[in-house]
Amino acid sequence: MKRINFTTIMAFMAVMALFSCKKDTRSLDDQLTAAGTLSAPANATALKLQPGGSSVPFKWSAANAADGGVVLYEVAFDKADGNFSTPVYRVLSDGSGVQAQATIPQDTLNKIASLAGIASSSTGTLKWTVMASKATNVQTTTGTNSLQITRPAGFAVPPTALYLTGTGTEAGGTDLSKAIAFKQTAPGVFELYTSLQVGNYQFTDKATSAGIRYYIDGSGTIQQGSQTTTVGTTTGPYRIRLNFNVATSNIVSIQSLGLFMSAYNTEIGQLSYTGNSTWSNARIPVEFYQFSWGRDERYKFALHTSAGVEYFGSVNVNNVAPSGQPTSYFNLLPVSNAQWDNTYKFDPSIDKRNAKVDVYFRPSAAYTHTATAVN
């Protein structure tokens, strides 16, 4: 009897499998036609953009893929004299690129217009078309539509950080490593409590020579450029607010900061500016007011500016005693001038003693204050 060699059998089976298996391969069909008519916005449409305005729908007739598969679309924008070889911007269509329309926010169109060289508060022309693609095959619609864009005042791409520098600042010079940081209160909106002296100042989005420079012109509008703003003879503490979304500035001098005690309905002491966004008074005499039901210890702060009096107090309309409360209890927020609302309560140890009061409007943290008893 012949023995069957197992190794021989396995080799035979492998050869048979190799010849019996037919690889099923199909080539990818990436053929497609370009998108058709650009239907909206119509050619030569005029758009007056507004910050946060309603989105604008861009529509066109669909492209056709030879295999009936999915086609991806991008809206391409270019300058009036461009040929779309290097568009200034592309936007994927709705539905992650599969729909024959793109809903584009006005803020994005404002950014595109800026990239195309249209200045803020100015009117210029963009043109757009559609690029359809399947795999590596990209077909650009031969037709284009133009848009007459009027940009709002402001910066299409506002800074995400801001610094104050110059001879008129607390840093006292142009050493950018000593530039003073602003607090960002909203996208494109910045605020700083600081002092200004005779000299000049400007702003930068980086505390290095690589930063973009800004200045305030004679009308109070924020402009990009290396010019500076001059500080005259009115020196002292200021609050600087800048809104790059609409290119506006609001700068007020701070005349005084008072400790307002509700029961007396008046300010019982004044704090002096000591630098670094801080106001202090080492000894303010405090005596709680005696009512029939007990002694009242409620207080908040009155900020006197060149634009009027503003009040800062607690987030809580009716507050509790400070003992055992988190540090956020002492945070300062703009509040109304209501005599009793949004006040804090002094610690009982301060009654009939002096209080050391410090107010911090520092940009690196929440605005806050401390009040402690001293002899």
Side-chain angles (χ1 to χ4, degrees):
M1 177 180 294
K2 293 184 179 179
R3 291 185 177 181
I4 300 175
N5 187 298
F6 181 75
T7 302
T8 303
I9 293 174
M10 292 300 295
F12 176 76
M13 291 178 66
V15 171
M16 292 298 294
L18 180 63
F19 282 97
S20 64
C21 290
K22 182 183 290 183
K23 190 174 182 180
D24 185 15
T25 59
R26 298 171 61 190
S27 61
L28 175 65
D29 189 348
D30 62 357
Q31 297 303 301
L32 78 159
T33 62
T37 305
L38 308 178
S39 55
N43 189 43
T45 293
L47 293 177
K48 187 174 183 180
L49 303 179
Q50 297 294 335
S54 300
S55 296
V56 179
F58 286 72
K59 299 180 180 181
W60 55 90
S61 56
N64 293 311
D67 64 358
V70 174
V71 177
L72 297 180
Y73 301 98
E74 285 183 308
V75 181
F77 293 89
D78 212 339
K79 298 178 181 180
D81 58 353
N83 61 7
F84 295 100
S85 57
T86 54
V88 297
Y89 204 82
R90 295 182 184 183
V91 179
L92 198 64
S93 75
D94 296 347
S96 300
V98 301
Q99 296 184 27
Q101 72 168 41
T103 307
I104 303 178
Q106 287 194 36
D107 290 345
T108 300
L109 291 173
N110 188 28
K111 177 180 179 180
I112 295 168
S114 175
L115 292 171
I118 302 172
S120 60
S121 301
S122 299
T123 300
T125 301
L126 286 174
K127 60 183 181 181
W128 67 279
T129 192
V130 172
M131 305 175 79
S133 64
K134 186 171 179 61
T136 59
N137 186 7
V138 179
Q139 295 292 325
T140 301
T141 302
T142 55
T144 64
N145 278 2
S146 66
L147 289 173
Q148 187 183 63
I149 298 287
T150 300
R151 288 188 58 206
F155 293 81
V157 184
T160 56
L162 195 68
Y163 300 85
L164 177 70
T165 184
T167 60
T169 71
E170 287 186 15
T174 56
D175 182 351
L176 288 172
S177 67
K178 298 179 181 178
I180 303 167
F182 276 75
K183 176 189 285 290
Q184 185 173 26
T185 58
V189 183
F190 299 88
E191 179 176 86
L192 177 63
Y193 288 81
T194 188
S195 65
L196 296 174
Q197 58 193 11
V198 175
N200 57 66
Y201 62 90
Q202 62 179 184
F203 314 99
T204 177
D205 69 341
K206 296 182 180 67
T208 68
S209 59
I212 299 172
R213 302 297 182 92
Y214 307 93
Y215 68 99
I216 299 172
D217 68 15
S219 67
T221 301
I222 305 170
Q223 304 284 359
Q224 183 175 326
S226 59
Q227 292 92 321
T228 60
T229 303
T230 300
V231 182
T233 57
T234 305
T235 62
Y238 285 82
R239 181 181 61 212
I240 304 173
R241 286 175 173 164
L242 302 177
N243 187 334
F244 283 82
N245 301 311
V246 290
T248 58
S249 65
N250 179 268
I251 302 176
V252 295
S253 64
I254 299 173
Q255 299 154 353
S256 63
L257 178 62
L259 176 62
F260 176 88
M261 198 158 181
S262 297
Y264 296 101
N265 197 25
T266 192
E267 297 167 38
I268 64 170
Q270 299 296 315
L271 287 74
S272 300
Y273 185 71
T274 58
N276 193 25
S277 307
T278 303
W279 277 258
S280 300
N281 189 323
R283 298 172 65 85
I284 298 178
V286 177
E287 182 173 354
F288 298 173
Y289 190 88
Q290 184 66 55
F291 284 102
S292 59
W293 47 261
R295 298 179 69 76
D296 193 275
E297 70 275 55
R298 285 174 283 181
Y299 70 96
K300 56 186 174 183
F301 295 93
L303 185 73
H304 296 259
T305 78
S306 55
V309 183
E310 304 172 15
Y311 287 83
F312 285 81
S314 171
V315 67
N316 302 311
V317 176
N318 299 300
N319 225 338
V320 297
S323 178
Q325 299 303 311
T327 55
S328 60
Y329 173 92
F330 298 97
N331 287 355
L332 292 160
L333 298 169
V335 297
S336 74
N337 63 354
Q339 182 177 354
W340 304 102
D341 293 350
N342 303 99
T343 55
Y344 309 94
K345 291 186 175 182
F346 282 118
D347 186 88
S349 64
I350 293 177
D351 191 14
K352 296 183 179 180
R353 297 179 65 185
N354 293 312
K356 182 181 186 302
V357 182
D358 299 286
V359 170
Y360 305 98
F361 286 112
R362 292 177 178 169
S364 58
Y367 297 155
T368 189
H369 77 285
T370 58
T372 55
V374 294
N375 293 326

